[in-house]
Amino acid sequence: MFQRHEPIAGMPGNAAALTMSQAIPLRRVGGDSADRPGWRDRLAQLDLVPDLGSNIGSAEWWRGLATLTLLCGSAVATFPGLRPLTVATTPALDPADFNEARAQMIVPLALGGDTGRHMAATDAVRPLTQTPERPQIELTATLGRGDSFARLLERSGVGSAEAQAIADKVSGAVPLADIAPGTRIDLILGRRASRTMPRPLDALAMRARFDLRIEMERVGGQLVLRRIPIAVDATPLRIRGRVGDSLYRSARAAGAPPQAIQSYLRVIGQQISVGSDIQASDEYDIIVEHRRAETGESETGRLLYAGLIRGGRPRLSMLEWTSDGRSRWFEASGVGQQRGGMARPTNGRITSTFGMRRHPILGYRRMHSGIDFAGGYGAPIHAVTDGVVALAGRNGGYGNYVRLNHGNGLGTGYGHMSRIAVRPGQRVSRGQVIGYIGSTGLSTGPHLHYELYRNGRAVNPSSVTFVTRALLEGKELAAFRARIRELTAIAPGAALAPMALRQIEGPKLGSLADVASKRAGEGI
């Protein structure tokens, strides 16, 4: 009922006013005809599609039903009907064309025909009741790792009895253990008497060893074995060259095998520092096992000699030599690898040191003549260095006890074991398991009591560091140096010199004509 006006200058505040004509609307005289809606407005307001779910039975509802009926009738009256669509189709084939097309769907004729057209089988072709067998089957089998020779033949189709007989015959020429895994064996299986029987072996050929080839063939119903020796040159391969920027790359470029270079670096690394002691002007000298067959094959073995030359003189000469039943690397003077430091007898932490202490069980102070190592029950105990077992068994308060003699008056003892893994008189090496941690004897829990003896008296194990070095003397040293002179006398690359190669005699495997021609000759 109020109309807001903007403030007028000179008047405080705001004022609102409403006229009478705005408050009470006045009806116009003669305005009924002007406000009445026309037919267009009434037609626009007409709802021809009302909701037939509401106001059922009303005039509006009946008007919507009439509209729906009219629309459905119009749709049915104008429906064009269903009739198939006609498209272009290929003409039907007559029987002759159909047979020719069917032949093309299977496979073309292998050898063609007079007309060059592909034809299907006619009624003159009769199906075979039994397909003929091949007179021979040629195949190649490979001996796997852990496989046996007889089992390989059985998998290839040879009968079990004949396979075992063939394996026994081959073992008479070469031990079956000498046949390396991966060896390829060429076989010919012959015709069998019936389909229920295995095929007999007609021929066999294989490279049994690097220096031996074996062939077998059935002659007069019996398998005859033939050994073919292969000449082998066993001259070691010597590779020598300048170190340059990289010893490894230089040796690889000179033809040294990767395994030989790695072995060479490990050997010389025990005497000098590979990273700082080797100069670019030095020369490496590598000698490895090498065998070459007259048929052209070659193989490389282990490292035999490792040398380093500086200024034309040998800086280092190392040769692998077997002494006292052990293979070790010795330098040219006959001195073997040096081992410094005492190995830890077990991985546990030290819980008690050498010296006076109060005994946890006896209750009074007395000398503790070793070191105690904590450890779980059954943890392994290792020999700290090479030695011989002097005692292995029960030993008073030590419980299960092992004592080792290491030479030069030194010895070690290991107590409270749960189980002993060595016997008296046995030779043990550094790091070898000699027993397992336990709690036998005067012990409050599983641990290792470790002692060190010098001339029979216990000393502090922490104050001693073992240094062992093998040394060759007398005739053994002379033989060692003679071997070095023999190897270093080999010229670099002498093992690769040309040799008279002969064509390996191929297996007597192939067609029936090949086997027949062989039997017609001198045979085996």
Side-chain angles (χ1 to χ4, degrees):
M1 298 257 334
F2 296 93
Q3 183 176 0
R4 183 175 179 273
H5 292 276
E6 296 295 332
I8 301 175
M11 297 181 61
N14 299 330
L18 187 65
T19 61
M20 184 61 67
S21 61
Q22 291 175 334
I24 302 175
L26 299 178
R27 297 186 62 181
R28 298 178 181 179
V29 179
D32 293 339
S33 60
D35 295 337
R36 185 179 304 162
W39 66 272
R40 294 180 182 274
D41 295 333
R42 289 196 302 270
L43 183 62
Q45 295 176 1
L46 180 63
D47 187 8
L48 297 178
V49 287
D51 184 8
L52 298 181
S54 61
N55 298 327
I56 299 174
S58 63
E60 183 181 8
W61 183 85
W62 283 106
R63 185 172 60 250
L65 181 61
T67 303
L68 176 62
T69 303
L70 179 62
L71 292 176
C72 292
S74 300
V76 172
T78 58
F79 181 65
L82 298 176
R83 61 173 77 93
L85 297 177
T86 59
V87 295
T89 59
T90 58
L93 297 177
D94 57 14
D97 293 338
F98 176 76
N99 286 336
E100 184 174 354
R102 185 177 61 178
Q104 296 176 4
M105 289 187 294
I106 300 174
V107 66
L109 235 56
L111 302 178
D114 295 338
T115 61
R117 302 175 69 87
H118 304 292
M119 301 300 295
T122 63
D123 295 338
V125 178
R126 297 180 181 178
L128 294 175
T129 58
Q130 185 176 5
T131 58
E133 285 193 333
R134 296 173 57 183
Q136 284 186 336
I137 295 180
E138 302 177 17
L139 53 92
T140 300
T142 303
L143 184 66
R145 188 176 299 276
D147 199 0
S148 69
F149 192 79
R151 190 160 55 245
L152 177 144
L153 295 176
E154 292 181 20
R155 288 199 309 270
S156 301
V158 182
S160 58
E162 186 177 16
Q164 188 59 49
I166 295 172
D168 295 340
K169 188 179 290 293
V170 171
S171 63
V174 57
L176 297 180
D178 291 352
I179 304 177
T183 300
R184 292 166 55 90
I185 303 173
D186 297 320
L187 303 170
I188 287 184
L189 304 182
R191 189 188 299 273
R192 54 185 174 181
S194 65
R195 292 176 177 270
T196 59
M197 297 177 59
R199 286 180 176 268
L201 179 69
D202 276 358
L204 176 148
M206 67 174 176
R207 185 75 170 266
R209 283 199 312 252
F210 192 72
D211 59 348
L212 179 64
R213 179 178 177 82
I214 288 180
E215 292 184 0
M216 296 182 66
E217 187 183 9
R218 189 174 298 276
V219 178
Q222 298 294 328
L223 285 173
V224 181
L225 184 141
R226 180 186 180 189
R227 301 175 77 256
I228 306 175
I230 300 174
V232 174
D233 179 21
T235 302
L237 176 62
R238 186 179 186 184
I239 302 172
R240 183 173 170 178
R242 185 172 174 272
V243 172
D245 296 336
S246 170
L247 190 152
Y248 184 87
R249 288 198 296 267
S250 176
R252 284 292 292 135
Q259 297 82 358
I261 302 175
Q262 293 172 5
S263 301
Y264 173 84
L265 293 175
R266 283 195 299 267
V267 171
I268 66 174
Q270 297 170 357
Q271 303 293 324
I272 61 176
S273 174
V274 176
S276 59
D277 293 344
I278 298 179
Q279 302 176 6
S281 59
D282 293 343
E283 296 182 17
Y284 56 85
D285 196 358
I286 303 174
I287 302 178
V288 296
E289 289 181 338
H290 185 264
R291 296 197 304 169
R292 184 172 45 160
E294 61 177 335
T295 53
E297 299 85 2
S298 63
E299 61 181 12
T300 304
R302 60 189 178 90
L303 179 69
L304 297 177
Y305 174 84
L308 187 67
I309 302 171
R310 177 173 297 171
R313 292 186 176 183
R315 167 72 171 81
L316 189 65
S317 295
M318 301 292 295
L319 176 68
E320 188 176 16
W321 191 259
T322 302
S323 179
D324 297 331
R326 297 181 56 192
S327 293
R328 287 170 288 188
W329 283 88
F330 292 82
E331 59 184 17
S333 61
V335 177
Q337 296 169 319
Q338 175 176 313
R339 286 184 178 176
M342 177 182 58
R344 194 176 181 88
T346 189
N347 294 328
R349 60 184 178 87
I350 296 178
T351 58
S352 182
T353 58
F354 182 87
M356 296 296 295
R357 70 164 189 175
R358 182 181 181 84
H359 197 279
I361 296 179
L362 300 180
Y364 59 86
R365 290 179 59 82
R366 72 171 190 175
M367 184 66 180
H368 184 238
S369 58
I371 295 177
D372 289 346
F373 291 88
Y377 190 90
I381 301 172
H382 308 278
V384 295
T385 189
D386 300 346
V388 179
V389 180
L391 176 64
R394 198 78 180 179
N395 187 20
Y398 291 105
N400 292 330
Y401 179 80
V402 171
R403 181 165 180 170
L404 304 178
N405 288 337
H406 306 288
N408 298 324
L410 293 178
T412 53
Y414 312 80
H416 305 308
M417 292 184 177
S418 62
R419 183 163 62 92
I420 298 174
V422 292
R423 61 183 184 278
Q426 179 181 346
R427 181 179 294 275
V428 297
S429 58
R430 173 190 174 105
Q432 180 177 338
V433 176
I434 60 175
Y436 302 90
I437 288 181
S439 185
T440 56
L442 294 177
S443 171
T444 58
H447 72 285
L448 168 65
H449 176 78
Y450 167 67
E451 295 181 344
L452 176 65
Y453 302 95
R454 175 179 290 164
N455 297 324
R457 297 183 58 183
V459 297
N460 188 356
S462 302
S463 64
V464 176
T465 299
F466 289 148
V467 177
T468 61
R469 176 177 291 181
L471 184 64
L472 301 178
E473 298 176 344
K475 295 182 178 180
E476 190 174 17
L477 178 60
F480 171 79
R481 289 177 174 173
R483 178 59 175 168
I484 291 182
R485 290 193 297 269
E486 178 186 355
L487 289 177
T488 54
I490 300 173
L496 303 179
M499 64 180 298
L501 302 180
R502 73 175 177 88
Q503 183 66 29
I504 185 170
E505 186 173 354
K508 304 304 184 291
L509 306 178
S511 63
L512 288 174
D514 297 334
V515 177
S517 62
K518 179 185 176 184
R519 291 179 178 174
E522 60 184 40
I524 295 179

